Amino acid sequence: MSNYHIKHLEEYYQVYRKSIREPENFWEEIAEEHFMWRKKWDKVLSWDFSKPEVKWFEGAQLNITENCIDRHLATRGDKTAILFEPNNPDEEAEHITYSQLHQRVCKFANVLKSQGVKKGDRVCIYLPMIPELAISVLACARIGAIHSVVFAGFSSSALATRINDSDCKMVITSDGSYRGSKTIDLKGIVDDALEDCQGVNSVLVAKRIHSEIEMKAGRDHWLQPLLDDASDVCKAEIMNAEDPLFILYTSGSTGKPKGMVHTTAGYMVYTAYTFKNVFQYREKDVYWCTADIGWITGHSYIVYGPLCNGATSVMFEGVPSYPDFGRFWEIVEKHKVNQFYTAPTAIRALAKEGVDHLEKHDLTSLKVLGTVGEPINEEAWHWYDDNVGKKKSPIVDTWWQTETGGIMISPIPFVTPTKPTYATLPFIGIQPALMDENGQEIKGNQVDGRLCVKFPWPSMARTIWGNHQRYKDTYFSAFENKYFTGDGALRDEVGYYRITGRVDDVIIVSGHNLGTAPIEDAINEHPAVAESAIVGFPHDIKGNALYGYVTLKETGESRDQNNLRKEINQLITEQIGPIAKLDKIQFTAGLPKTRSGKIMRRILRKIACKDTSNLGDTSTLLNPEIVQGIMDEAL
Ligand code: WTA
């Protein structure tokens, strides 16, 4: 019997040791006993981080949707798979059972086929959090098409970059979306994006807000009539273990977004196994992750992980503040949610509203609380623990990344004693390492360093779409023979990990990863701007907010600064999306630079954080005189 479900701490240590000593035997047992294979593997693992190349379950054949849906039909056909809660609380929730999900995914898959989509083709999905989003993801997987979901808050220009980078042939979208009291014209954004995308020959449009939109003849099709005509029988395409399942873009510190490629078998095994343990999911539980499926958290822990376990997964279309800040708690009460997984930024926003909203609702169904996306501060952790969990529901602070596919460091609830702000222990099979600046591993406890992983795990991304060299340079070059996460961490006296934050130029704002370079590129396109630099500074709710230092061309100096600020944020909204807007924009005469011409962000960061007591040695700068001026005028 494999250890699929860990129930006490001793067992965790025992299973962890086994997973490190005999990783292949360990993962083979898990894979064998808990999943449905069309053909078993020839080899469990082959790997070489110097290339880098990693293969899990090579030779195996499967379809992930048979694991997520078909195999549950006999025992859980009438169980709710997806519980859709609409933006508007007056609209009825929709319970989609496993049988209905099967039917809807098969129909959708047949529509994709009828539009000429084949195994290996890329399909871009740009949808709000409506059932069609989960269904289209699964429909792609059913026929072996590679889905690339783009979060529906990105701008048309960001969408076009992503469509073109992976050469998508189809886009799936809706007429629009609801977001609190607002509606957003998604189809209009897609139309703008497609002006720059030659490869897309078909657009499927789901009806959500019933707005008048333009449909381009020959290219655009309403989804519903096609679904009505489609057969609900669709044999699952048989995929190889290492066939790509999806691409998901994440921001890098430089350059264009990176299309992380996840493959089939390892991703499935790891997301399912982590879901079961990190949330201690039991058969009758209702699980709710508030993320958007446009991010990795939604892929792994709304869709694939939960469905592989036959779980009931809540999918929420709206926002925590609509119609008021009690919405999350109203949903918890209404659907008797047992596991609740959200982001620190949401917790802080809710905490700011006080406990009145909480007190109006019965939250006794809650058993496990989760957090993800950025370090959780101590105050938010305690607020969550005291008021939401009433000190009875353990908090799982789960550290992981788009690149890791699944949760890497996290408590197992009722198993691992928690500690505020600590992600605690590595999950089964995960071998973290802390590295010093000279590239040496720091052993022992009570140390801090750069967080790496020194052994492959099943759900790691295998490459960056179209750019394997960049994959190697970004993740496998900083430290020999190790995957570098880009995060810093410390390890306490008992071996618990606390993630301290990014050590590169990625800034996490409200849980969204933003690279500084693309934002600076957008600003620099303004005709009055000569140069710019972005840094993060602490923000009560968003965790970090963005601070921009902008130098103007001579022609721009006479312009009204408030108008310029608006125009700059408008440019950022158009090129990336509203999530990347700057909170503060300071116009400066110049930017501090090293003699080789590199902007000294370290100094700018300190000024933005109002921490100027120790700026370090500025005498080696090319232009040390500039620093005092920036400090004097800081916002
Ligand atoms: C950060 C989200 C501290 C971290 C699943 C990581 C965290 C980046 C935590 C990945 C956590 C995520 N504690 N920091 N529990 N979870 N992060 O790709 O910096 O959107 O590298 O994946 O978020 O963000 P991504």
Side-chain angles (χ1 to χ4, degrees):
M1 255 294 282
S2 73
N3 303 86
Y4 191 69
H5 189 178
I6 294 160
K7 298 194 189 72
H8 51 85
L9 192 59
E10 219 171 288
E11 190 185 4
Y12 161 80
Y13 281 114
Q14 178 212 327
V15 177
Y16 182 75
R17 275 195 297 271
K18 177 171 174 189
S19 75
I20 303 306
R21 280 198 207 125
E22 318 162 39
E24 300 190 28
N25 289 340
F26 173 77
W27 287 111
E28 177 157 49
E29 276 176 31
I30 296 282
E32 204 153 323
E33 287 176 25
H34 301 280
F35 299 90
M36 173 178 167
W37 303 93
R38 290 295 178 142
K39 173 178 172 286
K40 293 270 167 76
W41 43 91
D42 305 317
K43 192 166 173 13
V44 178
L45 169 66
S46 55
W47 68 291
D48 178 350
F49 276 179
S50 71
K51 287 186 178 162
E53 189 179 87
V54 173
K55 291 182 179 156
W56 283 92
F57 307 112
E58 218 180 332
Q61 293 185 327
L62 72 157
N63 187 291
I64 196 168
T65 68
E66 290 191 321
N67 282 275
C68 286
I69 312 172
D70 303 51
R71 68 174 166 141
H72 304 309
L73 293 176
T75 50
R76 303 185 176 108
D78 295 329
K79 177 175 175 177
T80 302
I82 292 175
L83 203 175
F84 172 63
E85 172 68 29
N87 177 65
N88 182 344
D90 298 332
E91 196 182 317
E92 252 184 60
E94 193 181 341
H95 293 251
I96 303 170
T97 65
Y98 274 92
S99 302
Q100 290 164 335
L101 184 63
H102 183 255
Q103 213 177 28
R104 289 175 71 171
V105 168
C106 287
K107 275 178 168 277
F108 208 127
N110 283 324
V111 170
L112 296 178
K113 281 192 195 166
S114 72
Q115 293 293 312
V117 178
K118 294 191 201 61
K119 178 176 181 170
D121 286 345
R122 273 79 59 207
V123 172
C124 174
I125 303 176
Y126 186 72
L127 278 172
M129 281 287 283
I130 55 177
E132 285 78 1
L133 174 49
I135 292 166
S136 61
V137 158
L138 293 163
C140 286
R142 187 84 178 169
I143 65 166
I146 302 171
H147 56 78
S148 168
V149 183
V150 177
F151 171 61
F154 276 115
S155 69
S156 58
S157 149
L159 174 62
T161 307
R162 286 158 176 77
I163 291 173
N164 287 332
D165 182 75
S166 47
D167 201 9
C168 293
K169 146 167 208 190
M170 173 190 267
V171 178
I172 304 171
T173 189
S174 65
D175 54 352
S177 65
Y178 294 119
R179 211 178 149 69
S181 55
K182 288 189 265 186
T183 57
I184 299 165
D185 173 21
L186 287 193
K187 177 63 167 47
I189 296 173
V190 170
D191 288 342
D192 286 348
L194 293 188
E195 305 248 317
D196 299 321
C197 304
Q198 303 322 315
V200 173
N201 47 38
S202 155
V203 177
L204 300 182
V205 188
K207 229 178 217 161
R208 177 59 183 142
I209 65 168
H210 300 270
S211 59
E212 290 267 321
I213 57 164
E214 270 180 46
M215 296 290 280
K216 189 167 166 186
R219 187 194 72 179
D220 301 349
H221 310 274
W222 287 110
L223 180 61
Q224 197 55 51
L226 296 177
L227 286 173
D228 291 341
D229 288 346
S231 149
D232 59 8
V233 179
C234 178
K235 250 179 73 191
E237 187 76 33
I238 297 189
M239 306 299 287
N240 291 324
E242 284 293 335
D243 280 340
L245 173 63
F246 66 86
I247 300 169
L248 186 62
Y249 286 88
T250 186
S251 308
S253 46
T254 56
K256 58 180 184 175
K258 298 169 288 191
M260 303 313 306
V261 178
H262 282 283
T263 59
T264 308
Y267 175 83
M268 170 182 80
V269 169
Y270 193 78
T271 53
Y273 183 51
T274 45
F275 173 77
K276 177 75 184 168
N277 286 289
V278 173
F279 299 102
Q280 292 285 312
Y281 184 83
R282 308 282 171 127
E283 187 58 36
K284 293 204 164 65
D285 288 347
V286 174
Y287 160 88
W288 180 20
C289 165
T290 70
D292 192 290
I293 294 177
W295 309 114
I296 191 70
T297 306
H299 281 61
S300 302
Y301 299 110
I302 295 178
V303 182
Y304 289 115
L307 298 182
C308 257
N309 284 284
T312 296
S313 180
V314 176
M315 199 177 156
F316 176 45
E317 183 184 26
V319 293
S321 55
Y322 179 79
D324 62 38
F325 277 95
R327 188 67 194 278
F328 273 6
W329 318 129
E330 182 225 315
I331 297 173
V332 168
E333 177 174 9
K334 176 168 159 196
H335 299 302
K336 302 198 171 43
V337 171
N338 302 109
Q339 292 89 0
F340 177 73
Y341 190 27
T342 195
T345 185
I347 299 167
R348 289 189 296 262
L350 294 163
K352 186 163 168 265
E353 299 301 314
V355 292
D356 293 358
H357 289 294
L358 278 163
E359 282 165 0
K360 285 184 212 141
H361 299 282
D362 176 4
L363 306 181
T364 50
S365 57
L366 288 172
K367 296 195 286 195
V368 175
L369 303 176
T371 155
V372 61
E374 59 182 307
I376 180 164
N377 50 308
E378 190 139 3
E379 204 183 335
W381 196 98
H382 283 296
W383 187 86
Y384 202 25
D385 189 40
D386 293 347
N387 299 299
V388 184
K390 320 271 191 237
K391 288 196 154 62
K392 284 199 301 257
S393 304
I395 295 178
V396 291
D397 178 355
T398 63
W399 172 82
W400 59 296
Q401 310 178 293
T402 305
E403 294 85 338
T404 69
I407 293 167
M408 301 288 280
I409 303 182
S410 170
I412 295 177
F414 310 106
V415 171
T416 320
T418 59
K419 175 173 176 181
T421 77
Y422 281 74
T424 76
L425 296 171
F427 192 73
I428 306 301
I430 303 305
Q431 303 190 35
L434 294 179
M435 309 298 290
D436 69 18
E437 312 226 312
N438 305 317
Q440 298 302 313
E441 182 172 350
I442 312 168
K443 303 270 183 165
N445 288 344
Q446 285 191 294
V447 291
D448 66 272
R450 298 182 171 221
L451 179 61
C452 287
V453 187
K454 53 188 178 185
F455 194 84
W457 63 100
S459 67
M460 63 191 294
R462 304 295 195 256
T463 189
I464 291 175
W465 184 264
N467 199 345
H468 195 66
Q469 186 62 41
R470 189 174 179 202
Y471 177 66
K472 179 175 176 171
D473 294 345
T474 312
Y475 303 107
F476 295 90
S477 301
F479 302 99
E480 205 187 339
N481 225 7
K482 289 183 181 63
Y483 166 81
F484 175 46
T485 65
D487 284 326
L490 58 84
R491 191 163 51 219
D492 77 358
E493 60 289 351
V494 297
Y496 275 16
Y497 287 85
R498 175 188 188 168
I499 312 302
T500 48
R502 302 290 309 180
V503 294
D504 57 9
D505 287 328
V506 170
I507 304 171
I508 305 187
V509 179
S510 299
H512 303 313
N513 294 7
L514 299 170
T516 50
I519 305 176
E520 289 162 5
D521 290 347
I523 301 174
N524 298 349
E525 279 191 20
H526 192 290
V529 170
E531 217 182 5
S532 61
I534 304 293
V535 297
F537 70 101
H539 185 281
D540 283 354
I541 291 178
K542 299 198 255 190
N544 293 295
L546 299 178
Y547 194 121
Y549 296 90
V550 176
T551 59
L552 296 173
K553 292 180 185 159
E554 246 177 63
T555 49
E557 283 172 2
S558 56
R559 296 273 324 269
D560 176 76
Q561 292 201 344
N562 280 334
N563 283 341
L564 276 176
R565 287 194 176 94
K566 277 190 203 132
E567 289 166 22
I568 286 171
N569 268 330
Q570 183 57 30
L571 261 175
I572 295 173
T573 305
E574 281 161 20
Q575 304 239 337
I576 300 160
I579 51 179
K581 282 205 286 196
L582 309 183
D583 269 39
K584 291 186 181 172
I585 301 178
Q586 178 178 352
F587 295 102
T588 66
L591 298 171
K593 290 196 181 155
T594 61
R595 288 182 197 270
S596 58
K598 253 185 95 180
I599 297 173
M600 282 292 275
R601 283 170 208 282
R602 183 175 55 77
I603 293 178
L604 295 174
R605 214 173 282 132
K606 289 204 157 190
I607 298 176
C609 297
K610 301 197 179 346
D611 169 24
T612 50
S613 55
N614 176 18
L615 282 187
D617 185 11
T618 55
S619 65
T620 56
L621 291 178
L622 188 67
N623 49 355
E625 70 289 350
I626 216 96
V627 175
Q628 191 59 44
I630 299 179
M631 270 166 43
D632 291 345
E633 290 172 9
L635 303 171

